Each structure stands twice: as C-alpha cells, then as structure tokens.
C-alpha cells in the first residue's frame, strides 16, 4: 500500500508533537511494508531522519504573511497524490492540507484527515480563521473519507460540532516506542529531586501556570527543583523574570530544547512530569514519561484523563490553583510515586506503542480503499 502523509513541519524544535507523530507513523508504516511519502511545509532534522530510512520527503518551503503560505510545486504534489493509494492529512489551519485534500478528491484518492486538536480554533475564531473555515476547511472535512481523532474526547467533540455519522470519525491516539526507556544510561547533571516540564514555552502549553504553582509550594519542599525543558516560543523571558522576582533562580532550571536522548534521561530521573497545558489533543510527553516509568500530573485539557483512573498520577484543572494542589498532593506522598510510575508504564506499554497504533491505522486505510471500490 502506498501512503502519502502531509504535515506542517518535520523540524523537531518547531513542529512539536505533530511533527513527531508524523515521523513515527511514517517509520512504522514503512516497517509494516507500506511505501510512504511525506509532504511538509518545513524541512528539518526529522525529515532527514526519514530520508535516511529511505522514505521520500517533499518539503515545499513557505512564507509567513497573515497566513503561512507554502511554495507548492503543483506538479510535484500532483505526482505524490497520484502515487498514493491513500492519503493521511495532519493539521487543519494550513494551505498544504487544503491543496492535498483538493488533489486527492480530484484523483479519487481516499484521505483521512486529522486536525490533531486544532478544531479548538473554531470556538472563538478570528475573522481570517472564520474565512479560512468557510472557504476551505468545510470542504476538506466534507470530502474526507475518515476524520481521525487523537482521543475519544476529541472524537465526541468532532461528532457534535460537525453533525457527522459515527463511522466517519475514528480514534488513532499518539504512541511511544516500546524501548524508549533504554535510550541512554548517562549520568544526570541534575542531582536534586526535580519536577519536569517538557514542551514549547508557549501559552497553550501553560508553563506560566506551572511556574507560578511551583513558586507557591517551593518553600514547603526545599529539596525539589523545577526543570523546564523546551524551545522558547516567546515566554522564556517573562518566566525567567518571574522566577527572579520570587528569588527562585537556583530552584528553576531552563534547559532550552533537548534532543530525544537527553529528554529520555530527564524523564527517567524525574520525580514526576507536569503537563500544565491549557489545550491539548493528547499529551505525547505524558506517554513518553509513562513508558519511562515516571508518574504524571496533568490538566483536564490534555485528553488523557486515564492517567488518574489507572493510578498513574493526577488530573487537575488548568489553573494555578489546580496545579498547586496537584503538586502538593503528589509531593506529600512521594514514597508512592514509583508505584504510580509503574502503573502508568504498564498501561502505556499495553495500549500506546506505535506498532499497535499503526496496525489500527492500516486497518482504517484498507476500509477506506474498500469503500471507494464499492
């Protein structure tokens, strides 16, 4: 089966979870015998990794105006679509998704479409976003053979928002590598116990909520530090100013962006991972921490409330108050953190490894192809 995947970026620093999801899907689809090709607007280290595996990557390049406009070579994209048996489009608010969906419809190629949480932008859209949805987005949704949700919660929201039939929306969650915990065994430079945040320093990820919550409880847990690991998307300066004002400069560590090996080490050695997101389709970093055996404190906006149900951590409101209470609860019961981590590890390994998830996706592709032939 020939599969074309599209995504905004294949740069690990700028593309975040959607870039990583695309890389893993492509690599595991190829391992299952599919011929994969990827179209993206932004080249990067993940694209190079895929090329080294023999997976074809077409990077359009782009320019940022009011909207990011890709420099699509129409002939090149047409060739990619025509080679495909099925298409998987990831990301809503971009013109590459629109162009790919249009060509797939023109050539009779079934496509699965995943907004990966981006439909939240329809709740209070700016005028340009509303125009995009009317002119382009509705058509992309209408002609999709399948809409892919990352969580059951997102599936329910899609069904309600667009009044779709139940069989039009399927859940294909994020995943992790089975052996992720064995990536590195180098000694840690952080000896003190620490709480870990991994993600972009952007408002949607909520690092400001976590830093404020930590500042409120720091005096109660004098041996614990907070490690903020992730690239700056406009918030680092204000966060550092707040930390300085609260005289916590020796308690809060900003590492900047870290690669996979360094992140894996931090996960394994952390007391817990905190995911303070204001909005998230499904927290990939929570899965990564889980497979490493680290418990998680996350908000109820992360699409992964199962963490608390299976005893792998706590779910709290996406507020300073909620996170502050969660930190107090987990740190006060520190002797139980290892047990919580093992519970989460068992659950993640049993439900969210990429081979299992890709098997599910291939099944959906086959159903799309069969329905097209009927």
């Amino acid at each position: 089966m020939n599969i074309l995947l599209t995504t905004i970026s294949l740069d690990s620093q700028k593309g975040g979870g959607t870039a990583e999801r695309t890389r893993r899907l492509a690599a595991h689809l190829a391992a299952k015998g599919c011929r994969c090709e990827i179209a993206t607007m932004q080249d990067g280290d993940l694209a190079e990794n895929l090329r080294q595996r023999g997976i074809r990557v077409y990077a359009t390049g782009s320019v940022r105006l009011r909207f990011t406009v890709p420099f699509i070579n129409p002939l090149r994209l047409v060739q990619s679509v025509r080679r495909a048996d099925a298409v998987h489009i990831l990301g809503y608010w971009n013109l590459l998704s629109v162009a790919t969906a249009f060509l797939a419809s023109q050539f009779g190629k079934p496509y699965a479409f995943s907004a990966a949480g981006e439909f939240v932008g329809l709740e209070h859209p700016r005028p340009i976003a509303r125009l995009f949805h009317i002119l382009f987005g509705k058509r992309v949704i209408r002609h999709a053979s399948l809409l892919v949700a990352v969580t059951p919660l997102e599936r329910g929201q899609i069904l309600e928002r667009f009044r779709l039939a139940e069989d039009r929306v399927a859940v294909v969650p994020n995943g992790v590598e089975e052996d992720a915990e064995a990536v590195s065994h180098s000694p840690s430079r952080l000896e003190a116990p620490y709480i870990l945040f991994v993600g972009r320093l952007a408002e949607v990820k909520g690092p400001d909520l976590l830093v404020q919550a930590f500042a409120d409880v720091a005096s109660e847990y004098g041996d614990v530090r907070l490690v903020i690991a992730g690239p700056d998307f406009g918030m680092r300066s204000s966060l550092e100013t707040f930390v300085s004002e609260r005289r916590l400069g020796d308690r809060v560590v900003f590492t900047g962006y870290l690669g996979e090996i360094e992140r894996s080490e931090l996960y394994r050695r952390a007391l817990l991972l905190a995911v303070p997101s204001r909005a998230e389709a499904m927290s990939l970093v929570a899965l990564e921490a889980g497979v490493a055996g680290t418990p998680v404190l996350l908000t109820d906006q992360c699409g992964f409330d199962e963490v608390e149900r299976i005893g792998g951590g706590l779910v709290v409101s996406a507020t300073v108050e909620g996170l502050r209470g969660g930190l107090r609860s987990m740190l006060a019961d520190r002797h139980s953190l290892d047990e919580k981590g093992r519970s989460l590890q068992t659950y993640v390994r049993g439900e969210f490894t990429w081979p299992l998830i890709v098997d599910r996706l291939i099944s959906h592709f086959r159903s799309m192809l069969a329905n097209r032939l009927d």
Side-chain angles (χ1 to χ4, degrees):
M1 189 185 307
N2 295 333
I3 307 296
L4 171 65
L5 302 98
T6 74
T7 190
I8 296 174
S9 174
L10 283 174
D11 183 292
S12 60
Q13 293 195 49
K14 299 176 182 178
T18 54
E20 184 63 23
R21 178 179 169 95
T22 304
R23 174 174 68 131
R24 299 297 185 182
L25 286 176
H28 284 277
L29 283 166
K32 298 284 185 179
C34 297
R35 293 187 60 186
C36 290
E37 184 174 353
I38 301 176
T40 182
M41 289 195 291
Q42 187 173 57
D43 214 331
D45 56 328
L46 301 184
E48 196 55 41
N49 175 276
L50 290 166
R51 290 187 182 105
Q52 290 171 4
R53 294 170 179 256
I55 296 172
R56 183 179 300 174
V57 178
Y58 163 43
T60 69
S62 63
V63 62
R64 180 70 182 176
L65 301 174
R66 289 292 300 279
F67 231 85
T68 300
V69 180
F71 298 134
I72 295 172
N73 179 330
L75 180 59
R76 176 73 180 275
L77 189 57
V78 164
Q79 291 173 339
S80 297
V81 172
R82 294 188 72 170
R83 277 193 293 265
D85 296 311
V87 180
H88 182 285
I89 298 172
L90 181 61
Y92 187 60
W93 302 104
N94 73 87
L95 294 172
L96 177 59
S97 292
V98 172
T100 306
F102 173 78
L103 290 174
S105 296
Q106 292 299 302
F107 293 113
K109 306 290 184 175
Y111 67 87
F113 171 71
S114 174
E118 292 183 2
F119 283 143
V120 70
L122 292 171
E123 293 179 3
H124 304 287
R126 294 171 297 159
I128 191 169
R130 185 178 293 109
L131 184 63
F132 177 97
H133 178 64
I134 293 170
L135 293 180
F136 306 119
K138 287 184 175 181
R139 187 182 190 282
V140 171
I141 296 165
R142 185 170 60 251
H143 290 282
S145 299
L146 184 72
L147 294 181
V148 175
V150 183
T151 67
L153 175 62
E154 187 187 20
R155 179 178 184 271
Q157 292 169 341
I158 291 171
L159 288 169
E160 181 179 358
R161 182 186 298 278
F162 300 114
R163 305 288 195 273
L164 298 174
E166 293 277 339
D167 62 356
R168 288 284 312 282
V169 188
V171 176
V172 180
N174 283 326
V176 287
E177 298 295 340
E178 293 174 280
D179 60 350
E181 81 282 0
V183 173
S184 170
H185 295 286
S186 59
S188 174
R189 292 170 293 175
L190 292 164
E191 298 302 330
Y194 60 88
I195 299 158
L196 177 62
F197 166 91
V198 177
R200 292 175 284 131
L201 303 191
E203 183 177 8
V204 70
K205 297 297 184 180
D208 54 317
L209 302 178
L210 177 60
V211 170
Q212 291 178 57
F214 177 77
D216 290 344
V217 303
S219 62
E220 302 169 35
Y221 306 97
D223 64 326
V224 177
R225 302 170 83 181
L226 174 63
V227 176
I228 305 290
D232 183 19
F233 274 61
M235 295 189 75
R236 179 163 176 168
S237 178
S238 62
L239 292 173
E240 289 179 328
T241 298
F242 177 83
V243 168
S244 177
E245 290 173 349
R246 296 292 292 266
R247 299 182 180 180
L248 292 171
D250 62 336
R251 301 281 303 282
V252 181
V253 179
F254 292 88
T255 70
Y257 171 77
L258 294 178
E260 186 175 4
I261 292 175
E262 293 85 358
R263 291 199 312 273
S264 296
E265 178 189 347
L266 285 179
Y267 284 132
R268 287 196 310 278
R269 298 178 182 273
L271 288 172
L272 61 101
L273 175 77
V275 188
S277 295
R278 289 179 167 94
E280 188 114 22
M282 181 182 185
S283 176
L284 181 58
V285 296
L287 293 177
E288 291 175 347
V291 83
T294 301
V296 176
L297 168 67
L298 76 170
T299 72
D300 55 10
Q301 302 302 306
C302 294
F304 197 25
D305 289 1
E306 297 96 316
V307 163
E308 184 166 320
R309 177 176 58 79
I310 56 92
L314 289 180
V315 177
V316 299
S317 63
T319 63
V320 173
E321 294 77 17
L323 289 161
R324 183 171 61 221
L327 290 175
R328 281 195 173 115
S329 178
M330 293 187 75
L331 292 175
D333 193 20
R334 203 182 301 186
H335 69 277
S336 72
L337 294 180
D338 285 346
E339 182 181 350
K340 286 182 169 64
R342 287 191 295 271
S343 295
L344 185 57
Q345 185 179 61
T346 299
Y347 180 65
V348 169
R349 286 180 173 177
E351 299 289 336
F352 296 101
T353 57
W354 281 119
L356 292 174
I357 290 166
V358 166
D359 280 342
R360 193 181 311 176
L361 186 60
I362 290 173
S363 177
H364 289 307
F365 287 153
R366 287 175 176 155
S367 295
M368 287 162 49
L369 290 168
N371 290 339
R372 185 194 62 175
L373 296 173
D374 286 346

